[in-house]
Amino acid sequence: MPDGSQSDVQQGPRTVLVTGASTFLGGYLVAALAANPDVERVLAVDSRVPRKDLMRRMGRAEFLRLDIRRPAIAKAISHYEVDTVVHAATSIMETAPHSAAIKEFNLLGAMQVCGACQRSPSVKRLILRSTAMVYGASPRDPAYFTEETPAKREPRRGYGRDMLDVEGYVRGLARRRQDIDVTTMRLQAMLGPRINTRMSSYLSLPVVPTVIGYQPRLQFLHEEDALAAMEHVTLRGRPGTFNIAGDGVVTLTQAIRRVGHVELPVVSGLLAPITGVMQNLRSARLRSSQTEFLTYGRVLDTTRMRTELGFAPRYSTSETLDDFVDRSGVTPVIAPDTWRKAERQVVSAAHRLA
């Protein structure tokens, strides 16, 4: 790494531009950075105006209503002499159904952001909010995905495919501008009391459809840990690609029982349609990539996150589930204690018969 790049990382960012300011991660990251006196200027960018409460939280941050697919983003980066760009606009896919318009936004937006960074001599760091969905999901997956593990079955469409392409654009920028430190954060499936994701919508169903004959291993990332990781990387992070997830693993059945809901095993082809029938019109719909995830699961190795990035999540996977239940307003159909009592009785009976 060049000496100048090391100096910039050690000194921390001075002028930070965050895309996706109306989303949960983008907006709350802007608020956290604006509250930090060590950051001289914070620019919040989005084509949509954030909610009033989120705008108030942003404090001294300057909001720029820009479409990142347009050349105006390059003008803003140049005009304000931005040294750190956080591309968090990709989190729009947490709730929106994938479409040609969303694909265009993800790909053209990333191309414009990367092109703007390449042309601006002031930019020294780019942070990409990516996703664990780039690893895909298949029956041949390893027990844990490291950052170097290729997908056994790459996503062919949807958000995971978009982000694979976006990561490629970012790697291209790193090759062309070796003085820019590029950090890619692959966030695991998020849960929390404030953020609305497909997983939170799915687990909130009183009767939760699952694929019969499969017991996927799951791992979650608490919304507060996702935000803390983004802030950590922005202020003190280092270049590279990092898996971000909470400790521990649960099976889908364990997750459903922990929430206090009832499992409904169905054949694979009916998982998305039945889930869609059970969800109201405002809920995030399952897509093929989510169906594969809920069939085969996906677990990340987070060794690099701890040893190289120096970040440790506050919540484990189990604690993330517990906090989701306690604070999100989900109403259990069956109390989790009832499930635990039943499990103890089954184990006790098995020991007596052994």
Side-chain angles (χ1 to χ4, degrees):
M1 185 188 302
D3 291 340
S5 178
Q6 288 178 342
S7 175
D8 286 324
V9 171
Q10 291 170 356
Q11 291 177 3
R14 295 181 299 276
T15 300
V16 183
L17 182 147
V18 181
T19 67
S22 68
T23 65
F24 175 84
L25 280 184
Y28 279 90
L29 176 62
V30 168
L33 295 174
N36 189 329
D38 293 332
V39 181
E40 294 179 11
R41 169 175 268 169
V42 183
L43 303 171
V45 171
D46 207 304
S47 60
R48 300 176 297 170
V49 178
R51 303 185 318 270
K52 290 183 179 180
D53 63 319
L54 186 54
M55 189 72 86
R56 286 195 296 269
R57 285 179 178 270
M58 292 181 183
R60 64 183 175 92
E62 301 171 54
F63 177 69
L64 306 178
R65 190 170 187 178
L66 300 175
D67 186 337
I68 61 171
R69 294 171 294 180
R70 306 288 181 253
I73 185 65
K75 294 179 181 178
I77 290 174
S78 175
H79 174 74
Y80 289 98
E81 297 185 334
V82 173
D83 58 81
T84 301
V85 175
V86 182
H87 187 36
T90 56
S91 59
I92 190 173
M93 279 305 300
E94 287 162 5
T95 55
H98 197 268
S99 64
I102 291 296
K103 185 177 185 67
E104 177 191 358
F105 177 86
N106 286 334
L107 300 187
L108 291 185
M111 290 174 66
Q112 284 285 359
V113 170
C114 288
C117 291
Q118 180 179 337
R119 293 190 295 272
S120 175
S122 66
V123 175
K124 299 302 179 186
R125 302 183 64 205
L126 172 65
I127 297 153
L128 172 67
R129 188 270 199 197
S130 188
T131 173
M133 292 174 68
V134 298
Y135 294 113
S138 81
R140 298 185 293 114
D141 286 346
Y144 292 87
F145 278 100
T146 68
E147 289 82 355
E148 285 80 21
T149 307
K152 299 298 182 181
R153 181 189 296 166
E154 282 192 355
R156 290 173 293 180
R157 61 182 68 87
Y159 184 43
R161 179 69 257 172
D162 289 357
M163 293 313 300
L164 272 176
D165 293 338
V166 169
E167 287 193 10
Y169 301 156
V170 169
R171 286 193 296 271
L173 170 66
R175 289 192 297 269
R176 293 187 295 271
R177 281 284 305 274
Q178 296 185 17
D179 60 316
I180 295 180
D181 289 335
V182 173
T183 304
T184 297
M185 304 178 66
R186 293 175 176 167
L187 307 185
Q188 185 56 285
M190 286 192 293
L191 280 180
R194 295 174 295 177
I195 194 170
N196 180 25
T197 65
R198 288 195 177 92
M199 278 307 301
S200 63
S201 175
Y202 172 74
L203 290 175
S204 296
L205 294 172
V207 179
V208 185
T210 61
V211 179
I212 190 169
Y214 290 87
Q215 195 56 262
R217 297 162 59 249
L218 306 179
Q219 189 182 38
F220 297 116
L221 176 65
H222 195 283
E223 61 181 34
E224 294 177 11
D225 285 327
L227 176 61
M230 294 285 289
E231 183 181 6
H232 176 90
V233 169
T234 303
L235 297 176
R236 299 177 296 276
R238 56 175 297 168
T241 300
F242 300 95
N243 292 333
I244 309 294
D247 289 340
V249 175
V250 298
T251 65
L252 179 54
T253 295
Q254 289 172 331
I256 294 170
R257 292 180 179 177
R258 209 176 194 102
V259 176
H261 291 171
V262 178
E263 183 178 2
L264 175 63
V266 300
V267 296
S268 178
L270 294 179
L271 180 64
I274 291 178
T275 302
V277 170
M278 292 181 174
Q279 292 173 321
N280 61 50
L281 295 176
R282 293 172 296 176
S283 297
R285 298 285 189 241
L286 290 181
R287 300 300 178 204
S288 59
S289 55
Q290 280 78 40
T291 299
E292 293 168 352
F293 173 59
L294 295 172
T295 302
Y296 306 114
R298 183 190 306 118
V299 180
L300 307 183
D301 182 301
T302 57
T303 301
R304 181 179 291 180
M305 173 190 75
R306 292 179 176 277
T307 59
E308 296 184 25
L309 190 61
F311 177 77
R314 175 185 172 191
Y315 293 86
S316 67
T317 290
S318 293
E319 290 168 342
T320 297
L321 270 170
D322 290 342
D323 192 57
F324 171 68
V325 174
D326 292 342
R327 295 201 289 155
S328 66
V330 175
T331 303
V333 175
I334 301 175
D337 289 342
T338 302
W339 283 119
R340 286 191 283 269
K341 181 178 179 181
E343 289 172 350
R344 287 195 297 268
Q345 289 174 340
V346 170
V347 172
S348 178
H351 284 311
R352 288 198 299 270
L353 293 174

